[in-house]
Amino acid sequence: MKRIGFMLAVLMLPFQAIFAGEGMWIPMLLKQLNEKEMQAMGMRISAEDIYSVNQSSLKDAIVLFGRGCTGEIVSDQGLLLTNHHCGYRQIQQHSSVENDYLTEGFWAMSKEEELPNPGLTVTMMKKMEEVTAQVLEGVSDEMSMEERKQKIDENSKALIEKAKEESGFQVVIKDFFIDNQYYMIYNEVYKDIRLVGAPPSNIGKFGGDTDNWMWPRHTGDFSVFRIYVDKEGKPAEYSAENVPFKPDYHLPVSLNGVEEGDFTFVFGYPARTSEYLPSYAVNLITEVTNPPKIKLRETRLDIFSKYANTDPKVRIQYAAKHAGVANYWKKMIGESKGIRRLNGIERKQDFEQDFTAWTKKENNRYQGIIPAFEDTYSELEKYSLAADYMREGGFGIELLSFAARFNKLSEVTKETTDEQLESMVKSAQLASESFFKDYHLPIDKEVAEALLEIYREEQADDFRPGFLNLIDRKYKGDVSSYVDQLFEKSIFTSQEEVDKLLQNFSHKQVKKILRDPAFEAYSSLRNFYDDKLGTPMKQLAARNDSLQRLYMLAQMQMQSDKRFYPDANFSLRVTYGNVDGYHPADAVYYNYFTTLDGIMEKEDPNIYDYVVEEKLKELYQQQDFGRYGDAKGHMPVGFVASNHTTGGNSGSPVLNADGQMIGINFDRCWEGTMSDLMYDPAMSRNIAVDIRYVLFIMDKFAGAGHLVDEMTVIQ
Ligand code: ARG
Ligand code: GLU
């Protein structure tokens, strides 16, 4: 218990200046830790206005959208804004050839036209409280890792059960500062969320993967939803009887725009950062595993593009796959470059020297941490790499990923009940339908050849799945003839044959799966993982976790006058900074905002990512921006600021000094993407779509001004 008292004392000490912008702060602790600084930076509201347990506050308007994005309520009728890329799946699911909402956009002109989305939820945090003492009750330093974990799980479970019963909310306990602090979080989960509007993709995804992670940016990355509740105002599954949700608070939206230097903050759900890693871990990520992953992804992307550029059908089939592979491909490049530019590994090493000197001087129990990290990470390296080759190389082949979906069926026996069998067959049928809808065999075959070449080349033969060695033994190292055989003999390349297999499937057909070369290759990957990687990786990860917990604690003790913020963990956070341009390279300066003029500059009817909608061009030519244009007569589109954000912050509101919404966060600048490991005030910028562009598109472009009328617009 001593430790917790100490940590609280650490948190309450007066702070030294930190880099403006760095940090993802716990809303509940803003008053204690950040309010003064935020106000000194220009904020005109109080911490209590942002997060209060006793009265309505900004936090009542912020939600976790689905499982990975943020959304915000902007009207007293539960109207919700998030990103286009966050609502993408829903927009796609409502689309058909006749009503292609992805391409054309969608706008409900009345509540009756709003579209339900079964399965989509919105989660609102009601309150949080620290429960470190209760969670760690009975935990001692003498316990083994397993004992410790078991005790913590036990305590947490009991606490959650009790809190659930007393509050009626969904309750979770999350760890902060790497298992050093625990908070209980009470959530309300809403289940009737309807699609209200989405711009066409050439607005919502303008610039596509070409502009992704980049500034200057011109994407209108937003979509509109509404929360519905039952007549009592309680969360409920979809029902036609449900009514729009009346929130305790909704964000006012400001048409006053942003100026360089303005204070801004972002309120949302950042997913994961790792700011307190040792140099060995940063090296593993940015120098060891990122480079081969980048190469393997690039190999696939090049092949995708080659086919997509000549065949429009293939382009559609591979658009989502391309976006999925490309997103983190580009992120990893930016991240590794950024760490190199910052000399991030050396910086960490310098810190580790000071740290070790401190542990010696204090003669404390942290002396062995850095050498222990060195040990675990040097051992982890080969396993991590092998796992990445497996994931990005092996399973980058669509055929093998698809064959994996037949794993359950491959284990069917005489004992399997009809009911079990039926559900397995059903799910295999569904998998098969969606697979073949977007499968282009020539692409996958070329991908398979290219990936397996690299895989064979770069993984030592005693450390790779068996089927790769088969290529040496049976095909004399000729990858291409192996791949020919694979694609010729496997039934998983043909929808007809898969259909045939699934008709009247029984344990008698199991052999057909087991003997299939694609399934064999998949099994070989899986066995390799089970036999050689899984166990040591789990052990090393557990050792690193417990080292990391101590290292975190030790860093906080060593730098007892520094104000620490916990790594992102998908809990609600506030990050704040200033509207600010940046120098991405020598002699280059990027201004802090973009306008519709830039969309017209990028326009190219022959390049899919840069097609501009006729209607938008008209509005531009007539300079018909209504009340949304800026003082100089331009239509603002995006802006950047130094808020420290990460994945999960997509859809978060960007707010001004008065707590009014001025933009929707949707990306980060490439040069600053290493901020998940190390924030750089000179380069780390979040990218937002200006709220004026959002409202302009709704009102002037889509004719859905009734939605703007619902909002509290500040002018
Ligand atoms: N880079 C943003 C994020 O990490 C946006 C991704 C979606 N957009 C795209 N063009 N793929 O998630
Ligand atoms: N686009 C990201 C998301 O989906 C946000 C960008 C980032 O990683 O900061 O959450």
Side-chain angles (χ1 to χ4, degrees):
M1 282 325 77
K2 247 186 3 226
R3 180 187 307 154
I4 295 135
F6 172 79
M7 300 244 316
L8 270 182
V10 167
L11 286 170
M12 282 185 299
L13 279 172
F15 52 83
Q16 290 184 326
I18 56 145
F19 295 130
E22 174 167 4
M24 301 171 167
W25 305 94
I26 301 176
M28 190 185 129
L29 300 178
L30 284 184
K31 183 155 196 62
Q32 214 172 310
L33 295 176
N34 312 89
E35 187 181 49
K36 259 206 202 111
E37 185 185 64
M38 292 170 89
Q39 289 174 343
M41 287 167 71
M43 184 173 80
R44 287 185 288 266
I45 57 173
S46 69
E48 181 80 4
D49 294 327
I50 298 176
Y51 178 91
S52 170
V53 235
N54 304 312
Q55 61 202 44
S56 71
S57 58
L58 275 161
K59 83 141 202 330
D60 300 317
I62 314 298
V63 299
L64 177 70
F65 181 85
R67 278 189 240 137
C69 280
T70 305
E72 53 278 345
I73 302 171
V74 290
S75 88
D76 59 5
Q77 303 170 51
L79 196 68
L80 193 85
L81 291 177
T82 187
N83 289 144
H84 186 263
H85 78 260
C86 295
Y88 198 81
R89 155 113 7 127
Q90 284 73 34
I91 304 166
Q92 184 180 40
Q93 276 170 357
H94 291 294
S95 293
S96 60
V97 183
E98 303 80 54
N99 293 308
D100 184 355
Y101 300 142
L102 272 183
T103 310
E104 312 290 332
F106 168 77
W107 298 96
M109 288 302 163
S110 68
K111 298 212 173 67
E112 290 68 45
E113 289 176 19
E114 298 177 354
L115 301 171
N117 300 285
L120 175 64
T121 59
V122 144
T123 304
M124 192 183 298
M125 184 183 88
K126 303 307 283 185
K127 60 173 179 175
M128 68 188 291
E129 48 196 41
E130 192 181 349
V131 290
T132 311
Q134 296 92 307
V135 170
L136 292 182
E137 180 145 1
V139 172
S140 72
D141 286 340
E142 287 69 46
M143 285 181 159
S144 71
M145 270 163 8
E146 292 77 24
E147 289 168 336
R148 186 188 158 88
K149 186 175 174 314
Q150 200 186 340
K151 187 76 202 162
I152 288 175
D153 287 350
E154 216 172 85
N155 289 347
S156 302
K157 219 173 134 198
L159 287 166
I160 289 173
E161 282 310 316
K162 185 156 165 274
K164 251 195 206 158
E165 226 180 88
E166 286 172 6
S167 69
F169 290 122
Q170 184 222 60
V171 177
V172 290
I173 292 179
K174 280 186 179 279
D175 80 284
F176 288 70
F177 292 110
I178 315 178
D179 277 316
N180 280 295
Q181 284 181 19
Y182 296 88
Y183 282 82
M184 179 122 88
I185 297 170
Y186 296 76
N187 289 322
E188 185 87 279
V189 182
Y190 296 89
K191 296 174 177 164
D192 184 355
I193 315 299
R194 303 189 197 167
L195 177 63
V196 175
S201 287
N202 57 25
I203 290 174
K205 225 181 156 281
F206 183 79
D209 285 330
T210 320
D211 284 8
N212 193 22
W213 296 111
M214 308 262 266
W215 182 254
R217 190 68 159 276
H218 300 87
T219 314
D221 198 344
F222 76 96
S223 58
V224 193
F225 288 80
R226 191 188 303 280
I227 306 175
Y228 280 79
V229 288
D230 68 14
K231 293 237 167 69
E232 277 73 56
K234 292 266 167 272
E237 296 289 348
Y238 168 79
S239 151
E241 317 286 275
N242 285 350
V243 295
F245 171 58
K246 266 193 179 322
D248 289 338
Y249 190 79
H250 66 272
L251 299 182
V253 296
S254 167
L255 298 186
N256 293 322
V258 291
E259 299 283 345
E260 180 129 48
D262 280 358
F263 172 82
T264 66
F265 65 107
V266 173
F267 204 177
Y269 281 91
R272 191 156 297 117
T273 57
S274 313
E275 312 284 348
Y276 305 101
L277 293 175
S279 57
Y280 310 101
V282 176
N283 181 65
L284 179 65
I285 297 168
T286 61
E287 294 299 328
V288 180
T289 58
N290 275 357
K293 284 198 276 190
I294 291 166
K295 180 168 157 188
L296 288 163
R297 286 193 175 209
E298 202 155 278
T299 305
R300 283 157 78 191
L301 289 170
D302 285 348
I303 297 171
F304 289 179
S305 299
K306 194 176 80 186
Y307 284 85
N309 290 339
T310 54
D311 185 344
K313 181 172 170 226
V314 172
R315 209 207 72 245
I316 296 170
Q317 286 181 315
Y318 278 71
K321 294 177 198 176
H322 190 283
V325 178
N327 196 33
Y328 270 71
W329 162 72
K330 204 157 173 184
K331 159 83 196 301
M332 288 186 279
I333 300 175
E335 183 176 73
S336 288
K337 268 194 177 163
I339 289 293
R340 269 172 232 151
R341 195 189 55 241
L342 287 179
N343 292 319
I345 293 168
E346 293 77 6
R347 271 208 220 174
K348 292 259 178 188
Q349 284 166 342
D350 289 348
F351 175 79
E352 283 152 21
Q353 271 183 6
D354 294 348
F355 177 82
T356 303
W358 171 77
T359 61
K360 289 211 174 100
K361 195 177 102 225
E362 302 282 315
N363 193 22
N364 58 26
R365 64 184 178 122
Y366 305 125
Q367 291 185 48
I369 291 185
I370 302 296
F373 270 133
E374 187 174 2
D375 277 359
T376 50
Y377 276 102
S378 74
E379 223 186 298
L380 187 58
E381 189 170 306
K382 65 171 186 286
Y383 296 113
S384 282
L385 264 175
D388 283 334
Y389 275 108
M390 196 181 128
R391 241 174 271 137
E392 304 277 340
F395 287 111
I397 302 166
E398 292 176 72
L399 179 60
L400 302 195
S401 291
F402 180 51
R405 307 291 295 268
F406 291 77
N407 192 36
K408 277 230 174 86
L409 282 176
S410 79
E411 287 163 0
V412 165
T413 62
K414 272 190 231 152
E415 273 73 59
T416 308
T417 65
D418 287 351
E419 209 180 326
Q420 287 168 328
L421 190 63
E422 199 182 324
S423 108
M424 286 182 214
V425 169
K426 185 100 205 121
S427 86
Q429 268 161 347
L430 286 175
S432 161
E433 246 170 68
S434 83
F435 175 76
F436 285 109
K437 187 172 142 281
D438 289 334
Y439 187 61
H440 190 60
L441 189 141
I443 292 191
D444 198 32
K445 203 171 159 195
E446 203 170 321
V447 164
E449 244 185 88
L451 294 187
L452 292 178
E453 278 298 355
I454 300 175
Y455 202 159
R456 262 185 78 250
E457 193 89 354
E458 296 182 4
Q459 279 283 278
D461 54 3
D462 63 342
F463 211 59
R464 55 193 197 191
F467 81 102
L468 276 187
N469 292 329
L470 180 87
I471 297 178
D472 288 344
R473 283 200 314 273
K474 220 172 130 188
Y475 297 88
K476 302 200 180 69
D478 184 353
V479 173
S480 137
S481 60
Y482 166 74
V483 170
D484 281 345
Q485 290 285 318
L486 176 68
F487 278 75
E488 206 183 289
K489 296 250 168 76
S490 173
I491 60 165
F492 295 112
T493 56
S494 151
Q495 185 157 21
E496 251 190 323
E497 287 193 57
V498 172
D499 282 349
K500 224 163 60 196
L501 172 77
L502 291 175
Q503 270 162 22
N504 310 315
F505 188 89
S506 76
H507 67 276
K508 287 185 195 126
Q509 274 99 343
V510 163
K511 264 192 254 143
K512 257 197 136 154
I513 299 178
L514 291 175
R515 283 191 195 143
D516 187 275
F519 192 84
E520 275 176 346
Y522 149 71
S523 305
S524 158
L525 284 166
R526 203 196 51 192
N527 293 340
F528 173 65
Y529 185 86
D530 290 347
D531 299 344
K532 282 222 165 158
L533 304 183
T535 311
M537 280 183 86
K538 249 181 237 134
Q539 279 166 354
L540 286 164
R543 250 161 76 196
N544 274 337
D545 286 350
S546 75
L547 284 171
Q548 195 65 54
R549 171 173 62 85
L550 286 180
Y551 188 42
M552 183 76 243
L553 187 62
Q555 289 180 64
M556 292 168 92
Q557 290 181 13
M558 175 182 156
Q559 300 173 296
S560 57
D561 52 358
K562 179 174 156 180
R563 187 178 41 157
F564 280 87
Y565 60 93
D567 273 325
N569 60 355
F570 252 132
S571 66
L572 191 55
R573 300 291 179 92
V574 171
T575 161
Y576 50 95
N578 300 91
V579 172
D580 199 3
Y582 66 108
H583 290 276
D586 193 27
V588 184
Y589 183 71
Y590 284 161
N591 207 354
Y592 68 92
F593 70 101
T594 57
T595 67
L596 195 51
D597 303 30
I599 294 186
M600 299 314 299
E601 281 170 15
K602 283 182 179 171
E603 191 209 359
D604 186 338
N606 301 316
I607 300 179
Y608 180 78
D609 288 344
Y610 297 116
V611 174
V612 179
E613 197 82 7
E614 229 23 74
K615 179 83 200 278
L616 190 58
K617 281 198 262 189
E618 266 167 44
L619 290 166
Y620 176 73
Q621 271 144 19
Q622 294 154 6
Q623 299 279 296
D624 183 6
F625 307 144
R627 53 179 172 153
Y628 309 109
D630 70 10
K632 293 192 183 110
H634 296 283
M635 184 64 233
V637 172
F639 65 91
V640 283
S642 57
N643 300 295
H644 188 182
T645 54
T646 189
N649 271 125
S650 270
S652 302
V654 184
L655 300 128
N656 66 13
D658 297 307
Q660 301 156 350
M661 188 168 173
I662 48 174
I664 311 176
N665 185 73
F666 70 96
D667 211 357
R668 263 177 296 165
C669 295
W670 207 32
E671 299 83 0
T673 40
M674 69 291 161
S675 62
D676 292 346
L677 303 172
M678 197 176 272
Y679 177 89
D680 176 11
M683 298 277 189
S684 294
R685 297 288 179 273
N686 70 303
I687 305 180
V689 50
D690 194 301
I691 199 69
R692 291 171 294 180
Y693 186 57
V694 172
L695 302 191
F696 163 77
I697 293 294
M698 277 184 202
D699 184 353
K700 303 292 282 183
F701 174 85
H706 61 286
L707 297 176
V708 180
D709 294 341
E710 264 187 49
M711 302 179 199
T712 306
V713 178
I714 313 280
Q715 198 156 17

